Amino acid sequence: GRRRHILEEYAAIGKLAEKKASVLVVGAGFIGVEWITELEHFFNGLQLTIIDALPNCLGPLPAKAANYCSRYMKRHGIKEFYNLKYNPKDPEFFNGIGMPNGPDKEYVCIGVKASNYFMPTETLSEKGPGGGGWILMDMQLAVKTREGKVWSSDEKGYPRIWAIGDCNYACVEGPGKMDDWPIPPIPKIS
């Protein structure tokens, strides 16, 4: 499973490095910056480019930290493009980042996706970032069903399973408009 996938990816990246291939990392958030700098560190010869729709890398970090990372990437030959929306169907997009024929390999490191496949469907949102699949919760962070009932309570009715961290829907639904919910939606950042 996972180990085999990692070894296969490692071998594939090694082959790309041997032929001095071009690699595009889409998304200059935490994951994109970490990934492109790891590629640069461990695989000599790759022609690396990173893009983001925001004006700089690591959007939520203080400017001083983002500038430090940007300087590091420049020193290590990583090309950076910001204020640029990812548009792979437009040939001008690739021309604009110096890849007229497109990259040899792309890694898309944008957006958020729920990985709560282990939970019963009735406890997962039908909407939300990435198309839904986030764990529903009540005001005490107890997992609840789509009908609003506490899921997995003990013999006294107390909840026994909570949705803590980035697995939850990031809001508590209520009647009316989202702004009137007990906890309105909070944006998820990757």
Side-chain angles (χ1 to χ4, degrees), residues 13-176:
I13 297 168
K15 287 179 184 169
L16 288 170
E18 286 173 13
K19 68 176 205 167
K20 303 203 179 307
S22 61
V23 175
L24 173 64
V25 173
V26 179
F30 302 121
I31 302 223
V33 169
E34 179 181 16
W35 183 237
I36 204 160
T37 56
E38 293 280 328
L39 289 172
E40 185 278 326
H41 182 79
F42 290 106
F43 297 95
N44 292 329
L46 292 173
Q47 307 305 305
L48 300 168
T49 302
I50 190 167
I51 68 159
D52 202 286
L54 294 176
N56 55 274
C57 66
L58 303 171
L61 285 184
K64 196 171 182 181
N67 291 336
Y68 170 84
C69 288
S70 184
R71 283 192 314 273
Y72 176 93
M73 289 190 285
K74 276 186 183 71
R75 275 196 320 270
H76 290 87
I78 298 169
K79 295 178 191 157
E80 302 170 83
F81 294 89
Y82 300 112
N83 288 315
L84 184 63
K85 185 177 182 211
Y86 178 56
N87 192 0
K89 293 185 177 93
D90 180 3
E92 287 308 307
F93 166 77
F94 288 114
N95 284 333
I97 60 171
M99 296 180 160
N101 299 318
D104 295 308
K105 179 72 176 169
E106 281 183 32
Y107 291 98
V108 179
C109 303
I110 55 176
V112 292
K113 183 177 182 269
S115 294
N116 298 316
Y117 53 87
F118 56 90
M119 291 295 289
T121 304
E122 73 264 16
T123 65
L124 301 176
S125 69
E126 296 179 88
K127 299 176 185 171
W134 302 95
I135 300 174
L136 300 169
M137 64 181 183
D138 67 11
M139 289 295 290
Q140 286 75 43
L141 303 182
V143 175
K144 69 176 186 176
T145 65
R146 291 178 181 164
E147 289 78 40
K149 295 185 173 112
V150 172
W151 181 78
S152 188
S153 54
D154 66 14
E155 65 280 351
K156 293 182 181 177
Y158 295 113
R160 290 294 171 231
I161 309 279
W162 291 268
I164 299 170
D166 59 5
C167 65
N168 66 46
Y169 192 22
C171 65
V172 174
E173 296 175 311

